[in-house]
Amino acid sequence: SVSTQEYGGEGVDAIPKELVDQCCQLVKANSIQGCKMAAVDVVYTPYPNLKKTGDMVAGQVGFHKNKRVVKVNVEKNNEVWKKLEKTREEREEVDLQEERGNREKEDQEEIKKRKKLQREMEKVTNTKRTGRNEK
């Protein structure tokens, strides 16, 4: 399984094709059966669409809405795989929940900064239109 952060909350369609290709290559290469095959189908979906129930075996997942699932046929691409191998980073004891929380906090701070900048720009624009300085 491979995960990536959202792109502006626009869903899986907003993820750049190059990133999808790289993720698919990782999934194929790290699959016990997939790495031996010439081509495999890889599915991806937003995290909230994953469905896991207690009666499922380890590694098995379902989906709440099948319309939100995207299926891609992936063939091994040595060029992409070599680029990925060069950037490999292995870490011990990763707290994914903490990392996600930190990323969400950073995203919220970025949104606040953008909104503040937008309000300031609107204030400047309104001041120029009216010809007076509003306080």
Side-chain angles (χ1 to χ4, degrees):
S1 123
V2 175
S3 64
T4 182
Q5 68 186 35
E6 289 184 22
Y7 277 81
E10 297 178 28
V12 294
D13 295 333
I15 301 172
K17 185 180 180 337
E18 181 181 0
L19 180 58
V20 171
D21 292 342
Q22 291 174 349
C23 290
C24 289
Q25 288 296 322
L26 281 171
V27 170
K28 182 182 180 330
N30 289 310
S31 167
I32 294 170
Q33 293 176 339
C35 67
K36 298 172 187 172
M37 300 171 69
V40 296
D41 289 331
V42 175
V43 296
Y44 63 97
T45 190
Y47 175 78
N49 193 40
L50 291 175
K51 179 180 177 183
K52 180 77 173 170
T53 60
D55 61 334
M56 293 180 166
V57 296
Q60 180 182 6
V61 295
F63 306 105
H64 293 287
K65 297 179 182 176
N66 285 330
K67 290 182 180 181
R68 299 189 71 195
V69 176
V70 179
K71 184 176 178 181
V72 180
N73 187 275
V74 180
E75 294 181 8
K76 186 171 184 177
N77 183 331
N78 286 327
E79 183 179 320
V80 171
W81 184 243
K82 286 178 186 177
K83 283 183 185 178
L84 291 171
E85 279 296 312
K86 288 179 183 177
T87 61
R88 179 187 290 241
E89 177 183 315
E90 293 189 31
R91 299 184 293 171
E92 299 280 329
E93 299 191 27
V94 178
D95 186 346
L96 297 176
Q97 190 170 16
E98 179 182 347
E99 285 188 12
R100 182 176 182 180
N102 291 340
R103 188 184 72 243
E104 287 175 353
K105 184 178 177 182
E106 290 172 5
D107 290 347
Q108 289 299 319
E109 290 172 3
E110 181 66 28
I111 290 169
K112 286 180 184 179
K113 286 179 186 178
R114 288 181 190 167
K115 286 182 179 180
K116 182 178 179 181
L117 181 61
Q118 185 177 5
R119 284 192 303 271
E120 290 173 359
M121 294 298 288
E122 288 172 356
K123 190 183 267 187
V124 169
T125 304
N126 289 339
T127 302
K128 287 181 179 179
R129 274 193 217 144
T130 61
R132 58 186 176 153
N133 191 4
E134 296 177 10
K135 291 187 179 182

